[in-house]
Amino acid sequence: MMQTVHTTSHNRITSFWLDRDGLCTGTLIFGVGMRDEPPTLAGITHLLEHVLLRLVQPVTILHGGTVTTDSLQFYAVGKPDDVAGFLNAIAAAVSTFRELTDEVTALEKSVLEAEDPHKFSNVSSGLLTYRYGTSGVGAAQFGAPATTGLTKAELIEWACRWLVAGNTALTFTGPVPSALDIRLPAGGAVSHHQDPPLITTPTVIKSRKQGVALSLLAPSQDADLLCEALRYELLARLRHEAGIIYSVENFTTAINNDQSQLDLILDPVRQNTVPAFKESINTLRGIVDAGFSEDAVQSARHALTAELGWDDYVPQDYLDQLAINALLGRSTRDRQELLDRAPAITSAELTTILRTSIGSLIVAVDKSVKLFKADAGSLGLAMDRYEIWQRTKEAKNRQSPVEGQHGNTTWRHKSSPTTLVLTSTHLISQNSGKTKTISLADLTVVEDRSCGCISLIDQRGRSSDLNMDEWKAGKKLRKQLIDAFPPEIIRPFPEE
């Protein structure tokens, strides 16, 4: 018999629990995640998680924390009262968070750097960022390079804003423990805003990441089934037939209550990148024309059943997602409804969904391989080189400022004919008659790196690094760049 998920309230916090004896897993969930972070605070929720875990040590039961696109979670596994004790301690640390010291903050920054040095020091834009930019859900794949410059005051303000009773939920794989006594600052649910996509036509992105990745928007109702069926078809075509990839990793991310993004990551070696790109698009187009194979549909059915199909057990992930959706105002489909949907879905239905979704296709391809605009065009894709430096109409007409005009100074590169001009609205690069610009209004973060370099990041997550050692009078150039931007978008970043 399938278990029932019970819902009660604990000190104004909604709690989801199961009627099951023995050891349990308990999770304290806050409705704040990476999608809520502005680029200037990228990584702040992860730092908050680390700091809170440090504040409650020592803890001897199995425990941990995690940050997702939508949530901050703390969990423990063990006897119910021990689990309750851990969650009580986390809540107590939240309630006294204003007493946080600089020492604790600094220690956890060093731990975060050890955990993922690349993410700690670099912008790492991914498929969500390509589609949505650096705000909202796009921030979830931006990286966390602002972490090094986060202040104790910013961390405290972030905790006070988001870690309140009305933005919190609890889950337990057993009854709510009698020892539970979660007390959090008062506060209601916090709104989450999502801007529309920045890319609205099928596009190939020249990416800094290796390999090939495909992304689609689809109705949330059948997103997981569609994603699994696509994984099967891509493996069949690109691995088993062509031998040009090893695996296909697939992910779904809820954008809102009705729509999800599906991502499929392929792993060709460099010389097979372009063939994998072409074959993956041809595979999708072939499915649109001929439909999903019955084997692909069966694979999708089996995957969903394996995830949710235990007769007497509600999976922890489902329970936690139920709580997260409640915090974000999203609905959760009943587990039995999901299980009933799996055997009912048909190839024709999945094909119709794909046919409707194919217009949202984004393909990311390693920019280090030779992929030409004509290659993309032959497959019905526009090409986006994903470069922050843009050729503008004014630049093409050579109407950009030159040395001496309007009081602007020209900065010369030490080893190339490149020059830079900084105006009140643009940074302009000129080289052998070619002119490119960066609009200052489009910049969302200016990285002041410890090496003396300046990195510029725009609202789409595109970036450019300027090494001051490569420019004549580099120190003066650096000062002029820093002075050109609002102080709130200038953040200290670590050396790359």
Side-chain angles (χ1 to χ4, degrees), residues 26 31 35 37 70 111 119-120 177 194 198 230 247 256 266 285 301 353 356 368 370 395 458 465:
R35 73 184 301 162
E37 300 174 351
D70 295 321
V111 173
K119 186 176 180 180
F120 185 84
Q194 180 58 58
L198 300 175
L230 286 170
S247 67
N256 51 43
L266 317 182
R285 302 287 187 198
R301 292 169 181 153
I353 296 170
T356 303
S368 69
K370 290 184 178 180
D458 71 6
D465 300 326

Side-chain angles (χ1 to χ4, degrees), residues 16 70 254 256-257 318-333:
F16 302 86
D70 295 321
N256 51 43
N257 197 49
Y318 175 84
L319 196 62
D320 291 343
Q321 193 59 55
L322 189 67
I324 293 168
N325 287 345
L327 289 174
L328 271 63
R330 298 197 298 241
S331 59
T332 302
R333 297 174 69 196

Side-chain angles (χ1 to χ4, degrees), residues 345-366:
I345 194 78
T346 66
S347 170
E349 287 177 289
L350 280 181
T351 303
T352 298
I353 296 170
L354 177 60
R355 188 174 293 120
T356 303
S357 301
I358 199 72
S360 66
L361 177 65
I362 292 176
V363 188
V365 180
D366 184 349

Side-chain angles (χ1 to χ4, degrees), residues 251-271:
F251 307 92
T252 60
T253 302
I255 304 302
N256 51 43
N257 197 49
D258 302 314
Q259 196 173 53
S260 293
Q261 177 167 302
L262 327 183
D263 297 332
L264 299 121
I265 317 299
L266 317 182
D267 57 359
V269 295
R270 189 175 186 277
Q271 62 266 30

Side-chain angles (χ1 to χ4, degrees), residues 237-307:
R237 179 78 171 264
L238 278 73
R239 176 179 176 168
H240 302 310
E241 293 181 19
I244 55 177
I245 66 168
Y246 168 69
S247 67
V248 178
E249 294 187 70
N250 54 320
F251 307 92
T252 60
T253 302
I255 304 302
N256 51 43
N257 197 49
D258 302 314
Q259 196 173 53
S260 293
Q261 177 167 302
L262 327 183
D263 297 332
L264 299 121
I265 317 299
L266 317 182
D267 57 359
V269 295
R270 189 175 186 277
Q271 62 266 30
N272 286 332
T273 300
V274 174
F277 159 69
K278 293 180 178 179
E279 284 300 307
S280 64
I281 304 305
N282 287 332
T283 299
L284 264 61
R285 302 287 187 198
I287 298 169
V288 168
D289 291 338
F292 280 98
S293 67
E294 186 54 38
D295 285 345
V297 178
Q298 191 68 4
S299 174
R301 292 169 181 153
H302 287 160
L304 186 64
T305 302
E307 181 181 355

